[in-house]
Amino acid sequence: MTNLGYFTLDTLDIDKARAFYGALFGWTFDPDASKPTYAHVADSNPPFGFSKVERARDFTNLYFRVDDIAAVCARISELGGKAAIPSESPSGLGAVVCDDQGVSFSLWQPAPGF
């Protein structure tokens, strides 16, 4: 079974998002997992954070945790969807994909230790 691995919320201003959601929900942010364009919410389950974007969107970015991102991307293509080439980050491999109706979501293959 594949589960939600993590998600991100888009924001135009990382500092404002930290202040707003920190005050609203009492969230704290992990400085080691954060950077200028990403604020990771500490001790969240599933893990999530805020991503800086140039244009605001009104939906979250869902990342489904998979064991073999290349195989899942290939299967998406077989089923009529589309998959980007996976990109690498310290937390593992990620790819933006869409189903056969154009609905986008993402895949995440965690790096060892995540």
Side-chain angles (χ1 to χ4, degrees):
M1 171 182 259
T2 299
N3 294 315
L4 184 62
Y6 72 96
F7 66 94
T8 60
L9 299 170
D10 289 345
T11 185
L12 298 173
D13 188 314
I14 293 286
D15 292 331
K16 282 186 173 183
R18 287 178 196 246
F20 180 88
Y21 289 96
L24 180 64
F25 296 125
W27 293 345
T28 59
F29 296 86
D30 181 347
D32 294 331
S34 297
K35 54 187 174 185
T37 59
Y38 177 74
H40 186 77
V41 177
D43 303 318
S44 55
N45 188 15
F48 73 98
F50 294 87
S51 293
K52 182 174 179 5
V53 295
E54 297 300 317
R55 283 185 304 154
R57 299 182 293 183
D58 60 352
F59 56 88
T60 58
N61 300 306
L62 301 175
Y63 292 78
F64 292 96
R65 185 179 183 138
V66 297
D67 293 328
D68 185 343
I69 200 166
V72 176
C73 286
R75 183 69 177 137
I76 287 169
S77 295
E78 290 170 8
L79 294 170
K82 295 182 180 175
I85 296 171
S87 61
E88 191 169 355
S89 74
S91 66
L93 297 172
V96 176
V97 300
C98 66
D99 66 17
D100 61 343
Q101 297 181 63
V103 176
S104 67
F105 59 96
S106 296
L107 304 174
W108 175 49
Q109 179 181 321
F114 273 85

